[in-house]
Amino acid sequence: MSPTEPDSHALNRDSWDRVASFWQKNIYTSRWRTASTEPRKILLEEERTYFGDLRGKDVCVLGSGNAVRDFALVGLGANVTSVDISQRQLDYAAEKADRLGLRLHFLRADVLDLSPLADQTFDVVYTSFHVATWVRDLKGY
């Protein structure tokens, strides 16, 4: 990246931080309310089959965004670490998790720099299909 080329991830982060409240109020549906009690409505059957039994397993969700899938994973018994580039998205997700009485760990990090997780291990690392569209270096990802 040249000194005059904008940092696409910084632009993504700033953009998501700016639109987070609009997203939560106008686009984001009420699925978060039932995601942990009805995870089968959130996660595809193929995903659930691939995961197997998640009870007690440590799961890291990269690019968690609004955290609906994170809540579904908690509903399946996982210990979830939710990672996203937007602090505002994480703040909204943490507020909703608190309202539902769900325990998750929220961490702001870029999926291309997971150094804040360097000392942690996970049984499953999950990312949904849309995250790759926001990543500037797919090989690094």
Side-chain angles (χ1 to χ4, degrees), residues 103-123:
R103 297 185 64 201
L104 295 87
H105 174 67
F106 294 96
L107 174 68
R108 197 205 71 73
D110 186 321
V111 297
L112 293 178
D113 178 10
L114 296 174
S115 57
L117 295 170
D119 295 333
Q120 296 182 18
T121 60
F122 298 94
D123 300 299

Side-chain angles (χ1 to χ4, degrees), residues 6-130:
D7 178 349
S8 61
H9 270 190
L11 292 172
N12 270 341
R13 181 194 60 239
D14 294 345
S15 175
W16 276 110
D17 282 346
R18 274 193 309 279
V19 302
S21 63
F22 174 83
W23 178 266
Q24 297 294 321
K25 291 176 187 168
N26 298 299
I27 297 171
Y28 188 44
T29 67
S30 61
R31 294 183 309 158
W32 66 272
R33 295 178 198 275
T34 58
S36 65
T37 57
E38 300 179 53
R40 285 163 177 72
K41 290 186 176 180
I42 303 299
L43 297 166
L44 298 172
E45 181 179 348
E46 293 83 359
E47 291 174 305
R48 295 190 319 270
T49 299
Y50 179 78
F51 294 147
D53 185 0
L54 290 178
R55 287 177 288 188
K57 296 213 174 148
D58 295 319
V59 176
C60 181
V61 180
L62 299 178
S64 57
N66 57 30
V68 171
R69 287 177 175 81
D70 304 31
F71 295 174
L73 292 165
V74 169
L76 293 174
N79 305 310
V80 176
T81 297
S82 179
V83 178
D84 199 84
I85 198 168
S86 169
Q87 187 60 51
R88 296 216 44 214
Q89 286 283 75
L90 291 170
D91 291 344
Y92 281 116
E95 177 185 309
K96 287 175 172 42
D98 189 53
R99 287 173 59 186
L100 295 171
L102 302 178
R103 297 185 64 201
L104 295 87
H105 174 67
F106 294 96
L107 174 68
R108 197 205 71 73
D110 186 321
V111 297
L112 293 178
D113 178 10
L114 296 174
S115 57
L117 295 170
D119 295 333
Q120 296 182 18
T121 60
F122 298 94
D123 300 299
V124 175
V125 176
Y126 174 82
T127 189
S128 64
F129 61 91
H130 73 282

